[in-house]
Amino acid sequence: MRFPLLVAALIAAPLAAQLPPPKPDDAPSPAEIVAKAPKTDWHAIDARDLVVMDLAPDAKGHPRRVVIQLIPAPFSQGWVGNIRKLAAAHWWDGLAVVRVQDNYVTQWGDPDGEDKAKAKKLPEGLVVVPQSEYQIRFDRFEEDLIRREPKVKKLDLTKIYLDPYGRSLFLFGWPYSIKSPIPDVPVNQTLAPVHCYGMVGVGRDMPPNTGTGAELYTVIGQAPRQLDRNIALVGRIIEGMEFMSSLPRGHGELGFYDLAKGDERVPILSVRLAAEVPNLPAYEYLSTESASFARYADARANRRDPFYIRPAGGAEVCNVPVPVRRAK
Amino acid sequence: MRFPLLVAALIAAPLAAQLPPPKPDDAPSPAEIVAKAPKTDWHAIDARDLVVMDLAPDAKGHPRRVVIQLIPAPFSQGWVGNIRKLAAAHWWDGLAVVRVQDNYVTQWGDPDGEDKAKAKKLPEGLVVVPQSEYQIRFDRFEEDLIRREPKVKKLDLTKIYLDPYGRSLFLFGWPYSIKSPIPDVPVNQTLAPVHCYGMVGVGRDMPPNTGTGAELYTVIGQAPRQLDRNIALVGRIIEGMEFMSSLPRGHGELGFYDLAKGDERVPILSVRLAAEVPNLPAYEYLSTESASFARYADARANRRDPFYIRPAGGAEVCNVPVPVRRAK
């Protein structure tokens, strides 16, 4: 395995050099590129990886449905398995959003989870996942992927984003960071998912506790990349994110809702695996290995559409959200 | 003027090397460092730079006050002057928040601003600011700062954050990006403010339009750094940000509120210069030139407090928000 670019200079917009510069007067925006991507560049999201959370309706009675896509193997599968069990047991039904900290996270689970006497009993069979699962050896990831994706013979590691958190890249629909124990020496590298806006993670107590998956959060502000490799990421919200991000902020410590200060928790009506949800739409994502995604990522980094006068010349990995839509 | 580090390698956590590593078992969190910063490390925010926006109370009748600090000279002063005139004229009173686009911006101004026949008349004397003011020559900035801050003889440019958008740094309380026309050649450099969470910018039409300042927005998600140097940044929200970020998202194009789709705009009761606001608290910020800020920034990049097991080793400039508080 070769790593031609791992010690190369900053590659903020890795694909720019491979693309002909469009004419300034007809340069498409990232959204236009996505809208025109051929159907073959979109990949179906497996409905078996979807979890649907219905919050109580808002003050006007509008439903608030949140659709979560669980992260694929080999990442975080211990926690993902727990989440499947919790959803199958309808464990979250009647629990609540307990914390909304501005520019950080919205968190949901058992309001009494910290109180052993009052905490809701967890279903049988949840596993305890070791901290070592926060990241995965790169060679293990590659082997696993080649097994699952027969067309893949070798991963293309040339499309690297370099930022203060290290190197990151998109692989089969998800953003990952890649790190070596010794910087710039591509030996014993590990991958971990990235804490971008809308990603879903597992709340936990102090280490070595790793959380069960019963307490979850999603990122509602600037990517808190300090959490990468310190906590398990298990998925992302692909629809209904606006219901999580627009909730009233909590007035307790760390943004927890404090009933004594007049806060009200947001009730969870139900959390279900997709198989139990009637009429759930099908979803698809723009393949991160497609030419359309390459054009989209390049346009995010170098806006040439008419509103812009100076392209940035780069983009942070979390400023290139993977397009997801309902399948047509 | 010398630029010793401008061509140096990635310096994500620029201060780490200057600080003794704290013992793991008593390492303070960034918040603890800020809480313990001596009073002398806090600088007063000039009340003349504050603008106070009162939104209509929320559904429970709670007031929603938003305090904006205008950016200091020499940045964006044409637009800042316009904003002072608009506030003095009470121009925004009775207008509204018109757009909330998830993971992007909340925008406020005249709902009829696009319709010449119905648009609210602007006060006399607003200036038209050229695009060239989106950034400032570095030497002009340094001269200006030395004139205003007699203790400063020369700017310290060693504390640089390098990210996909180029280089950025904190100067006297604000985050700026610094760019050269030719990368790595520190000649004819320019500075521009950075689109971090909570920063306030000037909505505009297609270039060469630069906006008047009557239409403003604030960042409510991942820093949209593609807007840097393409649009004027005029300040930041230092209190009440949660009222802007938690508003319902709009269902029209680009997140504009669409009344036909059941959206309701959020009314602005008043926007006032601080001199017209009774009993406004005094505010202060943690000096970005202080030892406390250096420790805080280092701790943001390298979390050693007990919750964390692997320090990130770096932080993006927008993941190091400048601490602001009410003065005690």
Side-chain angles (χ1 to χ4, degrees):
Chain A
M1 196 184 304
R2 293 164 56 235
F3 297 85
L5 282 178
L6 293 187
V7 291
L10 183 73
I11 306 160
L15 304 170
Q18 304 172 24
L19 296 160
K23 285 195 298 179
D25 56 350
D26 65 356
S29 70
E32 288 164 343
I33 291 167
V34 171
K36 286 182 185 161
K39 179 74 182 167
T40 48
D41 281 352
W42 291 87
H43 281 204
I45 292 176
D46 191 333
R48 289 171 296 185
D49 292 333
L50 299 183
V51 175
V52 178
M53 174 163 68
D54 284 323
L55 301 179
D58 69 14
K60 293 180 183 171
H62 296 139
R64 292 188 283 195
R65 170 164 286 188
V66 177
V67 181
I68 300 166
Q69 179 190 10
L70 297 171
I71 202 165
F75 287 96
S76 305
Q77 293 304 295
W79 296 279
V80 165
N82 287 351
I83 291 167
R84 293 182 190 278
K85 287 191 183 110
L86 287 155
H90 301 182
W91 185 80
W92 280 287
D93 295 15
L95 299 180
V97 174
V98 294
R99 174 191 187 191
V100 186
Q101 184 171 0
D102 196 54
N103 192 19
Y104 196 43
V105 296
T106 290
Q107 190 168 324
W108 62 99
D110 181 1
D112 297 318
E114 295 293 302
D115 181 341
K116 283 198 178 176
K118 294 165 72 185
K120 184 168 182 176
K121 193 167 180 300
L122 291 166
E124 298 289 325
L126 300 190
V127 301
V128 175
V129 196
Q131 283 181 348
S132 55
E133 291 295 303
Y134 290 154
Q135 54 186 8
I136 273 187
R137 280 181 58 101
F138 183 79
D139 49 2
R140 181 178 149 203
F141 173 81
E142 191 171 32
E143 279 168 25
D144 185 271
L145 196 72
I146 289 170
R147 194 165 54 238
R148 285 185 295 128
E149 303 269 356
K151 281 189 218 158
V152 177
K153 298 296 171 213
K154 182 177 170 328
L155 285 184
D156 177 4
L157 284 185
T158 59
K159 298 166 186 172
I160 302 280
Y161 290 72
L162 190 56
D163 62 35
Y165 303 98
R167 292 160 304 164
S168 46
L169 72 172
F170 292 96
L171 289 171
F172 295 84
W174 295 78
Y176 299 107
S177 75
I178 183 165
K179 277 205 174 176
S180 310
I182 305 167
D184 297 334
V185 180
V187 174
N188 294 329
Q189 297 190 108
T190 57
L191 275 189
V194 175
H195 269 86
C196 295
Y197 192 90
M199 291 287 283
V200 174
V202 173
R204 63 162 169 83
D205 294 329
M206 287 291 168
N209 183 288
T210 58
T212 58
E215 188 85 15
L216 296 172
Y217 64 87
T218 189
V219 173
I220 60 165
Q222 179 71 18
R225 302 287 304 275
Q226 69 273 15
L227 295 174
D228 291 357
R229 297 163 192 271
N230 280 282
I231 208 160
L233 282 169
V234 290
R236 64 178 161 209
I237 292 178
I238 60 167
E239 195 170 279
M241 180 62 195
E242 65 274 21
F243 303 126
M244 305 305 281
S245 56
S246 66
L247 293 173
R249 278 46 182 159
H251 293 91
E253 206 175 349
L254 302 175
F256 277 90
Y257 284 136
D258 185 339
L259 308 192
K261 291 181 177 165
D263 288 338
E264 292 175 37
R265 298 190 188 109
V266 180
I268 296 171
L269 299 184
S270 68
V271 175
R272 294 285 180 275
L273 295 169
E276 289 197 70
V277 181
N279 304 318
L280 190 67
Y283 296 91
E284 58 190 8
Y285 72 93
L286 186 62
S287 165
T288 50
E289 283 64 41
S290 69
S292 296
F293 187 86
R295 278 197 298 275
Y296 160 77
D298 172 67
R300 292 284 299 181
N302 300 282
R303 296 294 295 257
R304 303 179 194 91
D305 41 319
F307 186 79
Y308 288 81
I309 58 174
R310 290 187 185 93
E316 210 264 329
V317 63
C318 291
N319 221 336
V320 186
V322 176
V324 174
R325 67 181 185 189
R326 292 186 178 196
K328 284 164 192 168
Chain B
M1 194 185 304
R2 293 163 57 234
F3 298 85
L5 282 177
L6 292 188
V7 292
L10 183 73
I11 306 161
L15 304 170
Q18 304 171 26
L19 295 160
K23 285 196 300 180
D25 56 351
D26 64 356
S29 70
E32 288 164 344
I33 292 167
V34 171
K36 287 183 185 161
K39 179 73 181 168
T40 48
D41 281 352
W42 291 87
H43 281 204
I45 291 176
D46 192 333
R48 290 171 296 186
D49 292 334
L50 299 182
V51 175
V52 178
M53 174 162 69
D54 285 322
L55 301 179
D58 69 13
K60 293 180 183 171
H62 296 140
R64 292 189 281 194
R65 170 163 286 187
V66 177
V67 181
I68 299 166
Q69 179 189 10
L70 298 171
I71 203 165
F75 286 96
S76 304
Q77 293 303 296
W79 295 280
V80 166
N82 286 352
I83 290 167
R84 291 182 191 279
K85 287 190 184 113
L86 288 155
H90 301 181
W91 186 79
W92 281 287
D93 296 15
L95 299 180
V97 174
V98 295
R99 174 191 186 192
V100 186
Q101 185 172 0
D102 197 55
N103 193 18
Y104 196 43
V105 296
T106 290
Q107 188 167 327
W108 62 100
D110 181 2
D112 297 318
E114 295 293 303
D115 181 342
K116 282 197 178 175
K118 293 166 73 186
K120 184 169 181 176
K121 194 169 180 298
L122 290 166
E124 298 290 325
L126 300 190
V127 300
V128 175
V129 195
Q131 283 180 348
S132 55
E133 291 294 302
Y134 290 153
Q135 54 185 9
I136 273 187
R137 280 181 57 102
F138 183 79
D139 50 2
R140 181 179 150 203
F141 174 80
E142 191 170 35
E143 280 169 25
D144 185 90
L145 195 72
I146 289 170
R147 194 165 55 239
R148 284 185 295 126
E149 302 269 356
K151 281 190 219 158
V152 177
K153 299 295 171 214
K154 181 177 171 327
L155 285 184
D156 177 5
L157 284 186
T158 59
K159 299 165 186 172
I160 301 280
Y161 289 71
L162 191 56
D163 62 36
Y165 303 98
R167 292 161 300 152
S168 47
L169 72 172
F170 291 97
L171 290 170
F172 296 83
W174 295 79
Y176 298 107
S177 76
I178 183 166
K179 278 205 173 175
S180 311
I182 306 168
D184 298 333
V185 179
V187 173
N188 294 328
Q189 297 190 107
T190 57
L191 275 189
V194 175
H195 270 85
C196 296
Y197 192 90
M199 290 288 283
V200 174
V202 173
R204 63 162 170 83
D205 293 330
M206 286 291 167
N209 183 289
T210 58
T212 58
E215 188 85 14
L216 296 172
Y217 65 87
T218 190
V219 173
I220 60 165
Q222 180 71 17
R225 300 286 305 276
Q226 69 274 16
L227 295 174
D228 291 357
R229 296 164 192 269
N230 280 282
I231 207 161
L233 282 169
V234 290
R236 65 178 160 209
I237 292 177
I238 60 167
E239 195 170 279
M241 181 61 194
E242 65 274 21
F243 303 125
M244 306 304 280
S245 55
S246 66
L247 293 173
R249 278 46 182 160
H251 294 91
E253 205 176 350
L254 302 174
F256 277 90
Y257 284 136
D258 185 337
L259 308 192
K261 291 181 177 167
D263 289 338
E264 292 174 38
R265 297 190 189 109
V266 181
I268 296 172
L269 299 183
S270 68
V271 175
R272 295 284 180 275
L273 296 168
E276 288 198 71
V277 181
N279 305 317
L280 189 68
Y283 296 92
E284 58 190 9
Y285 71 93
L286 186 63
S287 164
T288 49
E289 283 65 40
S290 68
S292 296
F293 187 86
R295 278 197 297 274
Y296 161 77
D298 172 68
R300 292 283 300 182
N302 300 282
R303 296 294 295 257
R304 303 178 193 93
D305 41 318
F307 187 79
Y308 287 82
I309 58 173
R310 290 186 184 93
E316 209 264 329
V317 63
C318 291
N319 221 336
V320 186
V322 176
V324 174
R325 67 180 184 189
R326 292 187 178 196
K328 286 167 190 166

